[in-house]
Amino acid sequence: MRFDADWMSRADGRILEHLAEAGPDTPKEMAESDRVRFSRQHINARCKTLVEYGLLVHLGNGVYDITRTGEQYLAGDLDARDLDPE
């Protein structure tokens, strides 16, 4: 069971799942995938927020990847309400 924080949106879980499965990707490519189904602009904004909370890392050139913390959240081993922005 995942524990979401108030700052999270419905897109966040889909973004994290996509990156955990597909590997590093851009918001544009995520928007075109069947899993995420949100606009590129929304995905880009959410990725920036997920980086602030340590669930994603920005690799440069618009490419994001999931962190160990993000993997722990997906596994239900981490309560996102306990995360603070960096």
Side-chain angles (χ1 to χ4, degrees), residues 7-44:
W7 55 265
M8 297 183 84
S9 82
R10 284 187 329 156
D12 296 352
R14 292 184 190 174
I15 291 167
L16 291 164
E17 289 167 357
H18 173 82
L19 294 172
E21 193 173 289
D25 214 346
T26 65
K28 180 180 185 291
E29 294 297 322
M30 286 185 254
E32 294 172 357
S33 76
D34 290 334
R35 178 180 293 271
V36 182
R37 297 185 185 226
F38 287 91
S39 72
R40 180 196 58 76
Q41 294 87 351
H42 184 67
I43 294 168
N44 188 53

Side-chain angles (χ1 to χ4, degrees), residues 24-27 44 51 56-65:
D25 214 346
T26 65
N44 188 53
V51 167
L56 293 184
V57 61
H58 184 232
L59 301 176
N61 294 324
V63 177
Y64 293 90
D65 198 10

